Amino acid sequence: MRNAQARCSWDLPDDAVTPQALYLRRREFLRVFGFGLAATALLPVTARAASAGFPDSLNPSFKLDSVKLTAEDLVTSYNNFYEWGLGKDQPKELSNRGWKTEPWTVEIGGLCANPRKIDVNELIKLVGPIERRNYRHRCVEAWSMVIPWDGFPLTRLVDLAQPKPDTRYVKFTSFFDPANCPAQRGKDLPWPYTEGLTIAEARNELAFLAVGLYGKPLRNQNGAPIRLALPWKYGFKSAKSLMKIEFVAEQPQTTWNLTGPNEYGFYANVNPNVDHPRWSQKSERVIGGGFFSGKQPTLMFNGYEQQVAHLYVGMDLRKNF
Ligand SMILES: Nc1nc2c(c(=O)[nH]1)N[C@H]1C(S)=C(S)[C@@H](COP(=O)(O)O)O[C@H]1N2
Ligand SMILES: [Mo]
């Protein structure tokens, strides 16, 4: 993946070379020196239509009095969205060069009584009202934010779909548009990006589908028009720009688990006691927290133990990482 300056992976700024990206950089290195590099055509520049804010209200159960919200400009400029490049600054730049996230159809299917293909704005009307929740966000790379999402509980979509009794998992698939997304013409990750939850996790009160942040529709770089927000799990579980949600019997294969099975598990619950093979998960760098004050201890289930610990009783969390 290259941007306009044909910047090389070895001269990206420090903060753009992230642990998850290391996996892919090794492969990129092989490609550059082993097989030659094809130029990446840039997308035409088109302006994204401005849209209005949400009539939402803050859910008082998810206010998070004790922590500071991450500034909006950081939430919308420091991103992981590998479809638009491995650097943190690339999604903002490259996902806004003509990629259309409106209109957008979401497919709800699999083992359910009410499968449908539905325009995302129609879906929001069916599952509304939209509420705001301030959620902690902990990336597996050991950095964190606090983000005010606008959206609705995933369980409302589950109710709408009416899964059949043999449903044990929910599979989430991000957009797939290789014609407009250069990275998806390559093999950095198995595209489209897929994720999964158990049906009990999907029904948990914390599992959230975000359609906005800071009271505005999601920006492309944050996963417009609809993405998961699962605050007790590492960020990679919260798949962006969802195109398909399916009810399935078998545990779905997921992008990062396929890419690095020893590093990125299916459950990916935030856990300071289980280190990543290449780094500690005991603490995290708070984005926007300043150079000296930026580190804080990581909490079990990212601070949401009360809401989710019951889902994992009797499970070996070292094995099921
Ligand atoms: N489709 C897709 N979803 C994705 C990713 C991605 O690369 N592609 N990155 C994940 C990771 S690693 C993180 S930390 C969060 C980042 O979300 P944010 O940029 O809105 O903070 O999105 C997750 N969802
Ligand atoms: Mo992440």
Side-chain angles (χ1 to χ4, degrees):
M1 184 75 194
R2 287 290 180 274
N3 69 6
Q5 292 85 45
R7 203 159 57 177
C8 298
S9 56
W10 51 90
D11 64 30
L12 284 170
D14 261 8
D15 67 359
V17 182
T18 62
Q20 279 168 304
L22 285 178
Y23 236 97
L24 310 180
R25 290 206 184 288
R26 276 196 297 272
R27 289 199 244 161
E28 188 172 78
F29 184 84
L30 289 174
R31 202 154 56 231
V32 171
F33 289 99
F35 309 105
L37 178 75
T40 299
L42 288 170
L43 299 165
V45 181
T46 50
R48 178 167 155 68
S51 18
F54 289 102
D56 62 4
S57 62
L58 179 67
N59 182 329
S61 310
F62 305 102
K63 212 163 140 233
L64 285 184
D65 280 318
S66 55
V67 293
K68 202 171 136 259
L69 293 181
T70 307
E72 184 176 0
D73 69 313
L74 285 174
V75 180
T76 58
S77 65
Y78 186 92
N79 300 103
N80 271 341
F81 200 171
Y82 280 14
E83 284 87 334
W84 305 102
L86 310 187
K88 298 286 188 268
D89 54 346
Q90 285 176 312
K92 179 178 176 178
E93 193 190 328
L94 299 178
S95 73
N96 288 297
R97 294 189 180 183
W99 179 44
K100 281 209 171 63
T101 54
E102 198 172 352
W104 188 278
T105 304
V106 180
E107 185 181 343
I108 300 169
L111 307 168
C112 64
N114 279 327
R116 66 181 83 199
K117 284 186 183 167
I118 185 169
D119 178 80
V120 69
N121 297 325
E122 295 302 313
L123 176 66
I124 291 169
K125 279 187 215 155
L126 284 181
V127 294
I130 298 300
E131 65 181 61
R132 173 175 297 195
R133 296 181 176 193
N134 298 334
Y135 269 178
R136 297 166 179 277
H137 173 88
R138 171 60 157 79
C139 177
V140 73
E141 298 162 346
W143 54 265
S144 71
M145 295 188 184
V146 181
I147 304 176
W149 298 112
D150 308 280
F152 58 90
L154 174 58
T155 191
R156 273 203 225 132
L157 183 141
V158 176
D159 286 341
L160 188 72
Q162 293 187 31
K164 296 184 173 156
D166 44 347
T167 295
R168 290 171 58 227
Y169 295 89
V170 188
K171 178 181 174 184
F172 301 87
T173 307
S174 291
F175 80 104
F176 187 58
D177 185 7
N180 293 302
C181 178
Q184 290 186 334
R185 300 199 286 270
K187 292 192 179 344
D188 272 347
L189 286 175
W191 310 112
Y193 194 102
T194 54
E195 261 307 336
L197 294 172
T198 66
I199 187 74
E201 290 176 324
R203 286 222 180 258
N204 185 271
E205 59 170 332
L206 284 180
F208 200 60
L209 281 167
V211 296
L213 67 83
Y214 269 104
K216 297 167 201 154
L218 284 179
R219 255 52 65 84
N220 284 359
Q221 59 267 33
N222 293 102
I226 185 165
R227 56 88 54 85
L228 283 165
L230 307 165
W232 77 101
K233 292 181 176 286
Y234 290 121
F236 68 86
K237 295 294 293 182
S238 293
K240 294 178 166 182
S241 302
L242 297 172
M243 189 187 69
K244 209 194 275 184
I245 298 174
E246 293 165 279
F247 298 89
V248 296
E250 304 298 325
Q251 183 174 302
Q253 289 204 313
T254 58
T255 291
W256 277 105
N257 188 236
L258 274 173
T259 306
N262 302 319
E263 307 206 349
Y264 309 104
F266 176 79
Y267 285 95
N269 294 315
V270 175
N271 188 340
N273 306 315
V274 178
D275 286 339
H276 186 280
R278 289 185 280 130
W279 61 87
S280 164
Q281 294 291 27
K282 284 190 173 46
S283 67
E284 62 204 42
R285 189 166 53 93
V286 180
I287 301 300
F291 188 78
F292 293 106
S293 62
K295 276 257 179 178
Q296 69 183 19
T298 290
L299 304 174
M300 188 65 203
F301 296 115
N302 203 23
Y304 296 98
E305 206 165 358
Q306 225 183 332
Q307 289 93 335
V308 298
H310 68 271
L311 293 169
Y312 311 104
V313 169
M315 237 190 220
D316 180 345
L317 297 179
R318 279 183 187 280
K319 262 197 185 148
N320 299 288
F321 60 95

